[in-house]
Structures are given as C-alpha cells and as structure tokens.
Amino acid sequence: PTRRSSDLDDNILLGIEGPGCNIRCVRFQDGSVVWDTKLNEGLNTEMENRIYPWIQYISQDQHGNIYAIAQSYSFNSLHNREYDSVLYKLDPKGVICSRFPRTGTLDSCATSVKHIPGKQRVLFTSVNYYLRANNRYDKNLYCLDDGLQTELWSVSVPTIKPFRTAVIRSTPISEDGEGICFLSDGRYFAIRYDTGETEWQKRFMRAETVMGVPLNSTVVNTFYRSGK
C-alpha cells in the first residue's frame, strides 16, 4: 500500500513486501528517501519459497504518527496459510514508538488499523481464515489505546451461513469518531467505540449460489460525506 502524508511536507509512505518488510517515506517532489524503517521482527521469511513479509496497511493520525500492519504467513501440515501480524506505531520521522503485541505476533490476519479522531484510541480488524489449535487472537474487531499498550475491548462477529468466517472489509470513521463496519457477507453495523457495543445492524445483500459456490456483493470502498 501507499499513503500520502499531508503532515510530512507532501511525502509518500510506501509499504514494501520483502525480507525487511520496510515502510519507507519518500519525497513527493523528487522521490528521494526521507527515512526507511524495517518492521520484520518475528515475521516469517522463506527465501527458497519466495515468501516474504509485507506491509498490509498504513494510516496516520492528525499529529502525523503512523500506524502500520506488518504481516507474513507460513503453511501448516494441511497446507493452509497461517498468518502472523504485528501492529506498529511510528512517529513522523519513522522511529518505532510501540508495537502490539509487545512480544511475539498476532496469530491472525490483521487487515486494517485506524486512529479514532479525538478518542486516543486505535481500531484494528482481523480475520482467521483457518483457526489454529490455540488461537489467542480470534476476534474480528479490537480497540487499543493509541500507544498500542492496552487492549480496551474486542468483538467477535458471528458467522452466517453459507460463509465459513466473518470478514470486515471496511471501517470508515467520521471526524467525530463515529463509524460503521462493513462485512464481506453483506452485513453492516454501527458500533460504539467506547464500549464495542453494536448500535444497529443491517444487511444490504444476500448470497446467491452460482455453480455451487456462494457469491455475494461486498463493500470495498467507503467515504464519509458530511451534511445532508
């Protein structure tokens, strides 16, 4: 992923797939490198199988602090992918401030991380495509303090048939910290970020089976439009 950083004098943040799993800041004007930080600690690299860790997601808060997900996978005995993820907070100069978890990795596929405006909190989404024997992080939605030190709450979204797992595709957050979660199975719901409680839930599409395979429309991009 790439991300334009308005708080860094028109620089671009690059998420790189490779042995170093780097996040790199380059100048928009000429492409020169401002800083480059490796985020590969604890992640799998198998050079012979061309499996490299990568930056899954990049976002920033109003102060220019950067939140990123570094991720990798390995294959288990059934040849299913087992994901490992780490959340990072970096300052505007690319210095690592903190990580979650503090040691080790998330035994799940973290998909997005966003700072909640004015709340000093961070929201990240996760999915387990194939549950391991003793999954520690088996929820879909987590709320942390913005220093990534404390897990404040977490939510497990129930799976609905015919799908095997619930996948949160998008979590738009308004400037006042309100937001809605959109799932790949056609559901969407509003959530209170102070408690993790669902305020309401709707479904805009139901699955259709085509040649024995359940297919569904999915929200892949959202934008908050203020006003009426």
Side-chain angles (χ1 to χ4, degrees), residues 121-138:
R121 296 185 176 195
V122 169
L123 190 75
F124 82 88
T125 57
S126 179
V127 61
N128 284 287
Y129 294 104
Y130 300 97
L131 286 174
R132 303 180 191 181
N134 298 297
N135 268 88
R136 165 66 179 86
Y137 297 95
D138 58 356

Side-chain angles (χ1 to χ4, degrees), residues 92-158:
K93 296 183 178 179
V95 177
I96 296 174
C97 301
S98 55
R99 75 192 301 272
F100 183 85
R102 296 183 187 182
T103 60
T105 63
L106 300 167
D107 53 357
S108 65
C109 179
T111 53
S112 69
V113 57
K114 296 180 180 180
H115 184 267
I116 302 175
K119 303 293 185 181
Q120 296 183 331
R121 296 185 176 195
V122 169
L123 190 75
F124 82 88
T125 57
S126 179
V127 61
N128 284 287
Y129 294 104
Y130 300 97
L131 286 174
R132 303 180 191 181
N134 298 297
N135 268 88
R136 165 66 179 86
Y137 297 95
D138 58 356
K139 304 298 196 320
N140 303 93
L141 194 62
Y142 294 83
C143 185
L144 313 174
D145 70 290
D146 61 4
L148 307 186
Q149 300 300 304
T150 304
E151 181 182 325
L152 303 175
W153 53 260
S154 59
V155 172
S156 181
V157 181

Side-chain angles (χ1 to χ4, degrees), residues 3-54:
R3 186 73 63 178
R4 182 84 174 262
S5 177
S6 59
D7 198 44
L8 296 175
D9 297 327
D10 282 338
N11 293 335
I12 304 295
L13 299 175
L14 307 178
I16 299 173
E17 179 180 4
C21 192
N22 301 59
I23 183 169
R24 181 175 299 167
C25 180
V26 301
R27 289 189 177 87
F28 182 76
Q29 291 83 355
D30 58 13
S32 59
V33 177
V34 180
W35 51 259
D36 190 298
T37 304
K38 289 184 177 181
L39 302 180
N40 61 351
E41 180 185 357
L43 296 178
N44 182 45
T45 297
E46 297 180 17
M47 303 291 287
E48 65 277 11
N49 294 324
R50 298 183 181 179
I51 298 176
Y52 305 120
W54 67 92

